[in-house]
């Protein structure tokens, strides 16, 4: 029986198992057993890695192990026993490990999840349309379409603000830049943001202090918030901060990573809507991360409608 799972700590409230079960609820293996998806919780990366190697075909990886998972596969690749995808290599973190005939492959579906979520926000319906037309290649086609449409959608180069520079933040920064946004990094520890900017000079990342959050948000078309808790400035935001005065597009998009306890609460989301902005909840990032990642794990296309249904009752949008 092929087994799949998630490593990280803490992960007891993860939405990944229910999404996985929904994605493959009609699939059975040759022995008649349904696909399994387990939570492998623990703060010891080596212990979690050993369990993966001994028992699992593929695993998702979450905090605090994304950078360690990437580094381990990078070491294996030097021995001819590992493969690293382009996004994972650019980001320096992996949230998906898959055993293959050529070794363990490291992927980053945080990146593809962001690309798809942002494109869907600007072009509602594009995901289902492109899945029907292009199948498993839909994410690549969505990315290409977005880049080709930049000049029509924006009056000048759009700007993105990435808040938080952990594994998800780095994925967000690279995804925003690869989508054509001039990208600003912001982190509570400013030196960490500068380290990322210096490590990826090809993207021309700028760094702003966290104290400038409100003004930076006002000036950017896209904001991706990856900090696991709310910074105080969020409660100080008014609807005016979400207006697009002087920006390159008529609608601001806010994408939040945290789907368990959103930092942009209901009152703040009302302000975003009042300014004709778009709020993308963390559940959509989770959905599209799974939609683009699970086929790499299983070799099968997941059931998108069933996955959406499994997220009903959460902040979905």
């Amino acid at each position: 029986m092929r087994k799949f799972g998630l490593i990280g700590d803490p992960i007891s409230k993860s939405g990944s198992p229910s999404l996985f079960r929904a994605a493959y609820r009609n699939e059975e293996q040759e022995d008649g057993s349904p696909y399994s998806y387990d939570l492998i919780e623990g703060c010891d990366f080596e212990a979690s890695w050993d369990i993966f190697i001994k028992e699992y075909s593929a695993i998702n990886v979450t905090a605090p192990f994304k950078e360690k998972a990437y580094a381990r596969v990078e070491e294996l690749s030097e021995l001819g026993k590992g493969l690293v995808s382009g996004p994972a290599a650019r980001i320096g973190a992996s949230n998906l490990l898959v055993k293959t005939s050529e070794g363990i492959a490291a992927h980053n579906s945080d990146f593809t999840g962001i690309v798809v979520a942002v494109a869907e926000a600007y072009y509602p319906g594009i995901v289902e349309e492109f899945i029907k037309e292009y199948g498993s290649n839909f994410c690549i086609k969505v990315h290409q379409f977005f880049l080709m449409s930049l000049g029509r959608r924006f009056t000048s180069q759009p700007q993105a603000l990435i808040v938080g520079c952990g594994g998800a933040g780095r994925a967000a920064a690279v995804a925003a830049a690869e989508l054509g946004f001039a990208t600003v990094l912001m982190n509570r520890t400013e030196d960490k943001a500068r380290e990322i900017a210096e490590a990826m000079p090809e993207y021309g990342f700028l760094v702003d202090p966290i104290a400038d959050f409100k003004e930076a948000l006002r000036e950017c078309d896209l904001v991706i918030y990856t900090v696991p808790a709310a910074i105080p400035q969020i409660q100080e935001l008014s609807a005016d901060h979400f207006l697009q005065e002087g920006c390159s597009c008529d609608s601001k998009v806010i994408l939040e990573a945290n789907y368990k306890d959103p930092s942009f609460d209901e009152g703040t989301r009302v302000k975003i809507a009042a300014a004709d902005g778009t709020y993308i909840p963390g559940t959509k990032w989770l959905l599209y991360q799974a939609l683009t990642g699970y086929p790499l794990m299983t070799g099968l296309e997941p059931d998108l409608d069933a996955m959406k249904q499994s997220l009903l009752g959460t902040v979905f949008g």
Side-chain angles (χ1 to χ4, degrees), residues 251-264:
S251 178
K252 193 182 297 293
V253 172
I254 311 293
L255 169 56
E256 179 170 10
N258 190 356
Y259 62 89
K260 301 173 190 174
D261 185 20
S263 296
F264 288 78

Side-chain angles (χ1 to χ4, degrees), residues 112-161:
T112 51
I114 293 165
V115 168
V116 172
V118 171
E120 177 71 20
Y122 285 104
Y123 299 98
I126 191 174
V127 173
E128 293 195 22
E129 178 185 343
F130 276 44
I131 287 175
K132 290 178 182 177
E133 187 168 356
Y134 300 110
S136 59
N137 290 322
F138 87 95
C139 182
I140 295 171
K141 296 297 185 179
V142 165
H143 193 176
Q144 291 173 342
F145 174 85
F146 194 92
L147 288 173
M148 289 188 297
S149 303
L150 274 180
R152 298 193 298 272
R153 194 69 175 81
F154 301 94
T155 58
S156 59
Q157 185 180 17
Q159 297 186 72
L161 171 65

Side-chain angles (χ1 to χ4, degrees), residues 74-103:
E74 189 176 40
E75 292 174 0
L76 290 173
S77 69
E78 295 175 357
L79 302 173
K81 299 179 180 179
L83 305 164
V84 177
S85 72
R90 292 192 291 274
I91 295 161
S94 174
N95 72 328
L96 175 56
L97 304 177
V98 182
K99 290 178 181 175
T100 76
S101 60
E102 299 177 74

Side-chain angles (χ1 to χ4, degrees), residues 1-304:
M1 173 176 167
R2 297 175 67 203
K3 296 173 65 176
F4 305 95
L6 170 70
I7 66 171
D9 186 58
I11 56 174
S12 61
K13 296 182 179 180
S14 171
S16 293
S18 61
L19 265 182
F20 191 92
R21 287 192 291 270
Y24 299 113
R25 64 184 178 186
N26 295 320
E27 297 289 344
E28 290 188 347
Q29 300 195 81
E30 293 180 359
D31 63 359
S33 302
Y35 285 90
S36 69
Y37 191 98
D38 305 321
L39 294 179
I40 310 164
E41 188 169 23
C43 61
D44 186 338
F45 173 73
E46 295 299 332
S48 296
W49 174 270
D50 288 344
I51 292 172
F52 160 54
I53 295 300
K54 293 175 182 176
E55 301 181 31
Y56 290 82
S57 300
I59 55 167
N60 286 124
V61 183
T62 192
F65 296 152
K66 293 181 182 181
E67 294 89 348
K68 291 180 179 179
Y70 171 79
R72 179 59 54 85
V73 177
E74 189 176 40
E75 292 174 0
L76 290 173
S77 69
E78 295 175 357
L79 302 173
K81 299 179 180 179
L83 305 164
V84 177
S85 72
R90 292 192 291 274
I91 295 161
S94 174
N95 72 328
L96 175 56
L97 304 177
V98 182
K99 290 178 181 175
T100 76
S101 60
E102 299 177 74
I104 295 173
H107 300 276
N108 195 301
S109 60
D110 282 337
F111 170 89
T112 51
I114 293 165
V115 168
V116 172
V118 171
E120 177 71 20
Y122 285 104
Y123 299 98
I126 191 174
V127 173
E128 293 195 22
E129 178 185 343
F130 276 44
I131 287 175
K132 290 178 182 177
E133 187 168 356
Y134 300 110
S136 59
N137 290 322
F138 87 95
C139 182
I140 295 171
K141 296 297 185 179
V142 165
H143 193 176
Q144 291 173 342
F145 174 85
F146 194 92
L147 288 173
M148 289 188 297
S149 303
L150 274 180
R152 298 193 298 272
R153 194 69 175 81
F154 301 94
T155 58
S156 59
Q157 185 180 17
Q159 297 186 72
L161 171 65
I162 311 302
V163 188
C165 291
R170 287 204 301 279
V174 172
E178 291 281 351
L179 283 167
F181 289 81
T183 303
V184 177
L185 308 182
M186 184 174 286
N187 195 64
R188 287 173 174 171
T189 305
E190 194 172 333
D191 286 347
K192 187 172 183 179
R194 294 196 182 281
E195 288 174 6
I196 293 173
E198 291 171 2
M200 303 182 193
E202 65 273 23
Y203 291 121
F205 292 137
L206 300 176
V207 176
D208 271 359
I210 200 79
D212 291 347
F213 170 74
K214 290 190 291 184
E215 191 57 37
L217 181 146
R218 190 193 298 270
E219 296 174 354
C220 288
D221 302 279
L222 170 66
V223 178
I224 304 180
Y225 188 89
T226 71
V227 179
I231 58 174
Q233 293 97 317
I234 290 178
Q235 290 303 313
E236 300 170 5
L237 295 171
S238 67
D240 289 346
H241 287 96
F242 299 102
L243 293 173
Q244 282 297 87
E245 298 174 0
C247 292
S248 62
C249 182
D250 58 4
S251 178
K252 193 182 297 293
V253 172
I254 311 293
L255 169 56
E256 179 170 10
N258 190 356
Y259 62 89
K260 301 173 190 174
D261 185 20
S263 296
F264 288 78
D265 60 17
E266 184 176 355
T268 307
R269 297 195 293 271
V270 168
K271 296 172 186 175
I272 295 171
D276 293 326
T278 299
Y279 173 75
I280 308 174
T283 45
K284 276 197 175 179
W285 187 348
L286 175 68
L287 172 68
Y288 294 136
Q289 177 266 344
L291 181 65
T292 58
Y294 287 171
L296 296 171
M297 300 175 77
T298 65
L300 299 170
E301 294 303 315
D303 186 332
L304 176 58

